[in-house]
Amino acid sequence: MSLVVYNTLSRKKEPFIPLEEGKVKMYVCGPTVYNYIHIGNARPAIVFDTVRRYLEYSGYDVHFISNFTDVDDKLIRVANETGTDVPTVAQKYIDAYHEDVCALGVKKADHHPRVMETIPEIITFIEQLIEKGFAYEAGGDVYFKTRNFNGYGKLSHQSIDDLRIGARIEVGEKKNDPLDFALWKAAKEGEIFWESPWGKGRPGWHIECSAMAKKYLGDSIDIHGGGQDLSFPHHENEIAQSEALNEAPMAKYWMHNGYINIDNEKMSKSLGNFVLVHDMVKEHDPQVIRFFMLAVHYRNPINFSKELLESAEAGLNRIRTAYENVKHRLTVTAGLGTEEEAWLEKTAALKARFKKEMDDDFNTANAISVLFDAAKEANVYLKEDNVSEKALSSFIELFEDISGVLGITLQKEAELLDADIDALIQERNEARKQRNFARADEIRDLLKEQNIILEDTAQGVRWKRA
RNA sequence: GGCGGCAUAGCCAAGUGGUAAGGCACGGGUCUGCAAAACCUUUACCCCCGGUUCGAGUCCGGGUGCCGCCUCCA
């Protein structure tokens, strides 16, 4: 049993064999930082964070790079509108990105390169493309000669002649062929710029990823990821630039996540039907958002609505409760189990199933179903009078392994009971012994008002925070 | 015009040849002083029409509907 990955290049699932044994180099296109991210932007962050976590769980040494596009037309516009400058705008939204994505359980990449820090490498890259005859300067701009790159369209499976080339011509551009795309753009009056062999200007959009991937990971990487909408033209152009220069495959596996839809339509900034993560997390547990997204296979679209999020929340709570209840049982005096082996076999089987599902192109939806089955089995086990510490621990380990890979925290806020609350629980226990249920219920209600839920079990009172 | 995706129970969603995972919601039952949590249990003509096959949600052909990319977009 080994990992297979769906590769956009071949449109097939392929066995995952990294270029260098035991090591994975991956690059994921990050956001253009001119605004807060919406939940559509959050999907690739969550998906590829999960891919990375699973690769690490599987024993790979993962080198993960994700960029920030911090110079472009939209940043310039926002800077002008707000009376600040591009670096200020960029820094604001980079900080916001980290904050949002951290709430969603996304680990930081090994490095988050920015265009502004990569200008020398970008310029060198372009110079070399010109030397090799793949690019030309035109009035301060530099363009890539698309038709010179044999293999253009191999990622999106487009024939170069079938593209609606008319749509690519923009007013005032100096390209020779409508298919050509900008590597370097001459600065307009008042725009942020860098000095270059072609005068003052800034990089085009696609070149940054080619330059950064090369700088941090080398000429060929294992996994290149991003949203489906990047496959054309962005990734196609990256391939053209990088492979024209490096004469080596840019990436072995190209992975693309599906969109988030609202009312069955793609969520996008231009349609205005987006929900910002920044706002979302004020109303919903960000962990629920992550759980909700991972409950669907990453290549399929997700329809987003508040109702669906709430139903996901109910599901996650079921898993969390089961996990907490197993932990609770571990704190009370545990009897000696006689069927320990059978339960250890069950948890081992569930773990094997989890790996099998994740090995199949990161099927997190099925991985989550394993988590539900684990919750079910754990709940059944908890009904037994005698349980073993070993079996309980194997459940805990199972829950933590899976949730760790999915990047979901099962543990609720671990706060100690106040002495007052503790005393109330004791008092209620006394009242119950004396069958003074009125007082017992009164205390339970009192605690409920403070979001402490009491549950009477055969092993004593169990409590949790609502 | 070119390229591609999707259509599975009330809702969400897995499932690429052997007779439909899982979740949410709903109904019934069990446990409980009452609850909570949980367990058991009911609910699917897999969009339509052909074809291949001993056997198809799963492969092939043809429809229908929805969505996306080809233009900044995760």
Side-chain angles (χ1 to χ4, degrees), chain A residues 153-201:
Chain A
K154 68 179 175 185
L155 180 68
S156 52
H157 302 91
Q158 300 271 351
S159 156
I160 203 162
D161 297 314
D162 289 334
L163 294 169
R164 275 198 175 179
I165 55 174
R168 308 187 93 236
I169 303 173
E170 285 166 36
V171 183
E173 293 206 21
K174 301 150 224 167
K175 51 180 77 164
N176 292 347
D177 184 316
L179 284 168
D180 295 348
F181 56 90
L183 298 172
W184 187 263
K185 294 172 153 183
K188 297 192 190 89
E189 187 60 33
E191 281 184 355
I192 186 168
F193 67 84
W194 284 265
E195 295 290 350
S196 81
W198 319 285
K200 295 173 179 175

Side-chain angles (χ1 to χ4, degrees), chain A residues 81-99:
Chain A
E81 283 170 3
T82 54
T84 56
D85 53 20
V86 169
T88 305
V89 172
Q91 195 56 52
K92 175 180 174 183
Y93 293 113
I94 285 173
D95 291 344
Y97 175 87
H98 280 130
E99 193 184 316

